[in-house]
Coordinates of all heavy atoms in Angstrom, one line a residue:
C432 N 64.9 -27.0 19.5 CA 65.5 -26.6 20.8 C 65.8 -25.1 20.8 O 65.5 -24.4 19.8 CB 66.9 -27.4 20.9 SG 68.0 -26.9 19.6
E433 N 66.3 -24.6 22.0 CA 66.5 -23.2 22.2 C 67.4 -22.6 21.1 O 67.3 -21.5 20.7 CB 66.9 -22.9 23.6 CG 66.8 -21.5 24.0 CD 67.1 -21.3 25.4 OE1 66.4 -21.7 26.3 OE2 68.2 -20.7 25.6
D434 N 68.5 -23.4 20.8 CA 69.4 -22.9 19.8 C 68.8 -22.7 18.4 O 69.2 -21.7 17.7 CB 70.5 -24.0 19.6 CG 71.8 -23.5 20.3 OD1 71.8 -22.5 21.0 OD2 72.8 -24.2 20.1
D435 N 67.8 -23.5 18.1 CA 67.1 -23.3 16.8 C 66.3 -22.0 16.9 O 66.2 -21.3 15.9 CB 66.1 -24.5 16.5 CG 66.8 -25.8 16.3 OD1 68.0 -25.7 15.9 OD2 66.2 -26.8 16.5
I436 N 65.7 -21.7 18.0 CA 65.0 -20.4 18.2 C 65.9 -19.3 17.9 O 65.6 -18.3 17.2 CB 64.3 -20.3 19.6 CG1 63.3 -21.4 19.8 CG2 63.6 -18.9 19.7 CD1 62.5 -21.4 21.1
K437 N 67.1 -19.4 18.5 CA 68.1 -18.3 18.3 C 68.5 -18.2 16.8 O 68.5 -17.0 16.3 CB 69.4 -18.7 19.1 CG 69.8 -17.7 20.1 CD 71.2 -18.0 20.5 CE 71.5 -18.3 21.9 NZ 72.8 -18.7 22.3
K438 N 68.7 -19.3 16.2 CA 69.0 -19.3 14.7 C 67.9 -18.6 13.9 O 68.1 -17.7 13.1 CB 69.2 -20.7 14.2 CG 70.6 -21.2 14.1 CD 70.7 -22.6 13.4 CE 71.4 -23.5 14.3 NZ 71.1 -24.9 14.1
A439 N 66.7 -19.0 14.2 CA 65.5 -18.5 13.5 C 65.3 -17.0 13.8 O 65.1 -16.2 12.8 CB 64.3 -19.3 13.9
A440 N 65.5 -16.6 15.0 CA 65.4 -15.2 15.4 C 66.5 -14.4 14.6 O 66.2 -13.3 14.1 CB 65.5 -15.0 16.9
N441 N 67.7 -15.0 14.5 CA 68.7 -14.2 13.8 C 68.4 -14.0 12.4 O 68.8 -13.0 11.8 CB 70.1 -15.0 14.0 CG 70.7 -14.6 15.3 OD1 70.4 -13.5 15.9 ND2 71.5 -15.5 15.9
V442 N 67.7 -15.0 11.8 CA 67.3 -14.9 10.3 C 66.4 -13.6 10.2 O 66.6 -12.8 9.3 CB 66.6 -16.1 9.8 CG1 65.9 -15.9 8.5 CG2 67.5 -17.3 9.8
M443 N 65.5 -13.5 11.2 CA 64.6 -12.3 11.2 C 65.3 -11.0 11.5 O 65.0 -10.0 10.8 CB 63.4 -12.5 12.2 CG 62.6 -13.8 12.0 SD 62.1 -14.2 10.3 CE 61.0 -12.9 10.0
I444 N 66.2 -11.1 12.4 CA 67.0 -9.9 12.7 C 67.8 -9.4 11.6 O 67.9 -8.2 11.3 CB 67.8 -10.1 14.0 CG1 66.9 -10.2 15.2 CG2 68.9 -9.0 14.2 CD1 67.5 -10.8 16.5
E445 N 68.4 -10.4 10.8 CA 69.2 -10.0 9.6 C 68.3 -9.3 8.6 O 68.8 -8.5 7.8 CB 69.9 -11.2 9.0 CG 71.3 -11.4 9.7 CD 71.8 -12.8 9.4 OE1 71.4 -13.4 8.4 OE2 72.6 -13.3 10.3
K446 N 67.0 -9.7 8.6 CA 66.1 -9.1 7.6 C 65.6 -7.7 8.1 O 64.8 -7.1 7.4 CB 64.9 -10.0 7.4 CG 65.2 -11.3 6.6 CD 64.0 -12.1 6.5 CE 64.3 -13.5 5.9 NZ 64.4 -13.5 4.5
G447 N 65.9 -7.3 9.3 CA 65.6 -6.0 9.8 C 64.7 -5.9 11.0 O 64.4 -4.8 11.5
V448 N 64.2 -7.0 11.5 CA 63.4 -7.0 12.7 C 64.3 -6.5 13.9 O 65.5 -7.0 13.9 CB 62.8 -8.3 13.1 CG1 62.1 -8.3 14.4 CG2 61.8 -8.8 12.0
K449 N 63.9 -5.6 14.7 CA 64.8 -5.1 15.8 C 64.7 -6.0 17.0 O 65.8 -6.3 17.6 CB 64.4 -3.7 16.2 CG 64.1 -2.7 15.1 CD 65.3 -2.2 14.5 CE 65.0 -1.3 13.3 NZ 64.1 -1.9 12.2
Q450 N 63.5 -6.5 17.4 CA 63.4 -7.3 18.6 C 62.3 -8.4 18.4 O 61.4 -8.2 17.6 CB 62.8 -6.4 19.7 CG 63.7 -5.2 20.1 CD 63.0 -4.3 21.0 OE1 61.9 -3.8 20.8 NE2 63.6 -4.0 22.2
L451 N 62.5 -9.5 19.0 CA 61.5 -10.6 18.9 C 61.1 -11.0 20.4 O 62.0 -11.1 21.2 CB 62.0 -11.8 18.2 CG 62.2 -11.8 16.8 CD1 63.7 -11.4 16.5 CD2 61.9 -13.2 16.1
I452 N 59.8 -11.3 20.5 CA 59.4 -12.0 21.7 C 58.7 -13.3 21.2 O 57.7 -13.2 20.6 CB 58.6 -11.2 22.7 CG1 59.4 -10.0 23.2 CG2 58.0 -12.1 23.8 CD1 58.6 -9.1 24.1
V453 N 59.3 -14.4 21.5 CA 58.8 -15.7 21.0 C 58.0 -16.3 22.1 O 58.5 -16.6 23.2 CB 59.9 -16.7 20.5 CG1 59.3 -17.9 20.0 CG2 60.8 -16.0 19.5
T454 N 56.7 -16.5 21.9 CA 55.8 -17.1 23.0 C 55.9 -18.6 22.9 O 55.8 -19.2 21.8 CB 54.4 -16.6 22.9 OG1 53.9 -16.8 21.5 CG2 54.3 -15.1 23.2
L455 N 56.1 -19.2 24.0 CA 56.3 -20.7 24.1 C 55.2 -21.4 24.8 O 55.5 -22.4 25.5 CB 57.7 -21.0 24.8 CG 58.9 -20.2 24.2 CD1 60.1 -20.3 25.2 CD2 59.3 -20.6 22.8
G456 N 54.0 -20.8 24.8 CA 52.9 -21.5 25.5 C 53.1 -21.6 27.0 O 53.6 -20.6 27.6
S457 N 52.8 -22.8 27.5 CA 53.0 -22.9 29.0 C 54.4 -22.9 29.5 O 54.7 -22.8 30.7 CB 52.3 -24.2 29.4 OG 52.9 -25.3 28.7

Side-chain angles (χ1 to χ4, degrees):
C432 60
E433 197 176 286
D434 254 8
D435 294 337
I436 297 182
K437 240 197 237 171
K438 261 186 234 157
N441 279 333
V442 170
M443 304 313 293
I444 289 168
E445 272 162 27
K446 289 176 190 282
V448 172
K449 314 285 174 308
Q450 302 170 305
L451 288 94
I452 294 177
V453 184
T454 52
L455 310 170
S457 58

